[in-house]
Amino acid sequence: MKEIVSPPSPPPLVHNQYESVRQLFSRNVVPSYGRFDLVLSHGAGSYIYDVTGKRYLDLGSGIAVCCLGHAHPAITGALFEQSQKLIHVSNLYYTEPQGRLAAELVKRIGPGKCFFANSGAEANEGLFKVARKFGHDEGRFEILTATNSFHGRTLAGIAATGQDKVKKGFEPMTPGFRHVPFNDLAAARAAISPATVAIMIEGVQGEGGVTPATPEYLLGLRALCDEKKLLLLMDEVQCGYYRSGKFLSFQRILAGTIPNSELRTLNSEFLPDGISLAKSLGGGFPIGAFWVRAPYADLLGPGTHATTFGGTPLACAVALAILDVIERERLDENVRKLGDWMKVELEKLATKYPHLVKGARGFGFMLGLELLAREKIPALATSDKPASIQFVNRMHQAGVLTIPAGTQIVRLLPPLNLKPQEAGEGISRIEEVVKLLG
Ligand SMILES: Cc1ncc(COP(=O)(O)O)c(C=O)c1O
């Protein structure tokens, strides 16, 4: 292997470019994001630096993306090596990395096939098309999704997402989506109409506030979909790819319910009909994918679905390198062990500071600290910003990146290779910030 160029280190004298970068954005970038006041420049492992040289422990991982942290040599190496061979060819041709990555995903999920896209929203769009194709000849097209779900920002993505705030101003919505309460099997059954063709849920709702599906709900939905001839689609874009401590979130949720559940999924005791992936799949390099179960794997025949950049040799080489590190270093065990420890520590905060912290949510490296409502916390009550955003800002001051969800939840989505002492550092910084609230 050729010498790998190491990630750029900060210049000896770091100037505060904050204001100039901000101005570039305000003049030239569509203001569709509510950004925090940080200009980030480089990272290494679980740490990231801003342009002033300040270091932050990154417990957000770019919203569950940088699964190996920043500037990981396996990713840099794969980018370097593959970019010297072949970055892109059209999907008019075959390439080995795409075929190998598809085989690795199929091996871990179950009999079926994969399609590669560039983002989570696009992976979900593909599953919507699979569902429409499946029901087309019977005139069925409607997909049920959950209240508080999040499925992306494309037109179909916002129609599928069960949150009004993403739809507002973009009506009329793409037809064919209806929302049902999450974890409520009876409501799903009652909502099925003659036009219904599929049900899509997240294994753990992420943007909605770190809410896992219950085992009964998952098993019940599978049975319901079988009974009514519906496809069961799972959006594993955020909660999948080892974030739960298992490859897919439903494997963690069902562990203990179905003994040895990883193996049983392959024997189709519980297997969805379609699964979308993105985020951690590329560790920061954009790639999304959907897997579709064997009986439906050829529904999208030649000419029915495509994307120019889907599954480039470069993206797939990076994804293969990441998968290799995760498995070789048994990062799934790290996520389960450290994640369980962090959850207990967050729960302790709720016991110690019941006037500030309501509880802890989630599992693995998809955790949520639930704060009390802003009005109930005097230190936060005077601002009109949600408690979650104010807390995340205070965490920045304390040198830690976390991600808000909804108005009261602060998400921790650390890299899968987080070290025990980094987890400890994160928890103590969180406690410091909680303490300062009063
Ligand atoms: C569960 C879920 N689905 C889909 C998406 C959309 O993914 P992307 O932003 O890559 O389009 C997200 C993004 O946060 C997500 O959390």
Side-chain angles (χ1 to χ4, degrees), residues 22 48 108 118 144 156 177 268 360 429:
R22 231 185 113 117
I48 194 159
R108 280 162 187 80
N118 308 283
L144 302 181
F177 295 93
S268 70
R429 297 274 168 94

Side-chain angles (χ1 to χ4, degrees), residues 247-267:
F247 183 59
L248 297 165
S249 70
F250 61 79
Q251 294 168 332
R252 173 86 197 244
I253 294 167
L254 294 173
T257 309
I258 301 174
N260 206 358
S261 73
E262 267 147 318
L263 297 175
R264 293 298 180 86
T265 53
L266 294 177
N267 294 335

Side-chain angles (χ1 to χ4, degrees), residues 376-391:
K376 298 206 170 126
I377 304 176
L380 305 182
T382 47
S383 161
D384 56 2
K385 287 203 173 119
S388 55
I389 305 240
Q390 291 190 59
F391 193 89

